[in-house]
Amino acid sequence: MEAATIETASPATFTIGDVVRHRMFPFRGVIFDVDPVFNNTEEWWNAIPEGVRPRKDQPFYHLLAENDESAYVAYVSQQNLLLDADGEPVQHPAVQQMFSGFEDGRYKLRPEIRN
């Protein structure tokens, strides 16, 4: 069954270095990793209220995220993200460690980070 889920997964809309914003919650961030389908714990999944729980068969993104109060790492489904139109850099403290520059609203991954 797992293989069928992967085959029917949606293609990734965003890529590493994109600055995105959550559709419902007031935070934004830069993508630093992408899972083609949900790849977190069932405990994490079940903690999301059923009425807003996203499908598992879509890309999920790891973000260096920020809001008005803090910086943190977020794990967000593709259906809940939009490209951030502000064009402003993300102020997360780990951005400088992972990315080398910010041009045209996107970050460039440091060469030593690429696998």
Side-chain angles (χ1 to χ4, degrees):
M1 183 164 170
E2 191 68 31
T5 302
I6 292 171
E7 288 177 38
T8 61
S10 304
T13 300
F14 308 108
T15 189
I16 293 172
D18 283 350
V19 178
V20 292
R21 177 174 300 284
H22 197 281
R23 285 182 187 269
M24 295 181 281
F25 301 112
F27 72 87
R28 63 193 290 269
V30 57
I31 296 170
F32 70 89
D33 198 7
V34 182
D35 293 335
V37 293
F38 177 78
N39 190 24
N40 206 332
T41 66
E42 284 303 307
E43 179 181 18
W44 184 93
W45 180 259
N46 290 323
I48 301 169
E50 195 171 339
V52 295
R53 195 177 295 157
R55 297 181 333 273
K56 289 184 177 181
D57 65 342
Q58 63 181 311
F60 277 73
Y61 300 87
H62 300 261
L63 309 177
L64 297 176
E66 63 184 10
N67 60 27
D68 290 339
E69 299 162 7
S70 66
Y72 52 95
V73 173
Y75 190 64
V76 186
S77 65
Q78 181 163 280
Q79 76 187 58
N80 285 322
L81 291 176
L82 301 166
L83 273 177
D84 184 73
D86 287 354
E88 296 295 319
V90 173
Q91 302 303 316
H92 193 288
V95 166
Q96 298 299 320
Q97 297 167 352
M98 199 165 286
F99 297 97
S100 61
F102 183 71
E103 278 184 31
D104 300 323
R106 291 195 75 246
Y107 281 92
K108 292 182 180 179
L109 195 61
R110 288 187 176 280
E112 62 270 22
I113 302 289
R114 292 186 181 135
N115 53 6

